[in-house]
Amino acid sequence: MTQNQLVVDGRTVAEVVVADTALTRARGLLFRRVLPEALLLTPCSSVHGAWMRVPLDVALLTADLRVAHAQVLSPWAVTRPRRGVTQVLEAPVGSFERWGLRADSQVALGAA
């Protein structure tokens, strides 16, 4: 896993951990005592909340890192796959509201 700065609509908002291997994507946020500020799963088209104890903010992203859909994912819920989604951004609930992230926001990664 690598760490970068997360940029939303031109503003740096958090540090993001990038899970870009099968193992790091499979682990995701499961069984973590402390959640990172954000986690980017790539490639990934949908996520589930199985075994999660808390709700999460989840954004489904297109290849150009545009937000196709954002939602709060409850424990044991599943996101519905959407056409064109290639990556998923997860964060502690309330993060997206603080960052101003919503459908059609542009996300980018900056150097750590």
Side-chain angles (χ1 to χ4, degrees):
M1 284 199 265
T2 59
Q3 201 152 8
N4 297 81
Q5 293 296 310
L6 179 66
V7 179
V8 174
D9 294 329
R11 294 181 336 275
T12 301
V13 295
E15 287 194 11
V16 61
V17 174
V18 179
D20 55 4
T21 68
L23 182 60
T24 58
R25 286 190 311 274
R27 170 137 192 251
L29 296 177
L30 291 175
F31 310 116
R32 292 178 187 253
R33 290 187 186 276
V34 177
L35 298 179
E37 290 182 85
L39 176 71
L40 180 67
L41 303 157
T42 182
C44 183
S45 60
S46 68
V47 293
H48 62 80
W51 306 109
M52 294 300 297
R53 291 179 246 167
V54 296
L56 297 172
D57 283 347
V58 172
L60 306 179
L61 308 175
T62 60
D64 64 352
L65 297 179
R66 176 113 8 224
V67 177
H69 177 76
Q71 70 181 73
V72 173
L73 183 71
S74 299
W76 295 96
V78 177
T79 60
R80 184 174 60 95
R82 294 173 187 265
R83 181 173 306 238
V85 170
T86 61
Q87 300 168 77
V88 176
L89 179 66
E90 298 179 335
V93 74
S95 298
F96 290 0
E97 184 177 346
R98 233 179 15 263
W99 302 339
L101 186 144
R102 62 195 177 291
D104 209 39
S105 285
Q106 181 64 57
V107 175
L109 299 180

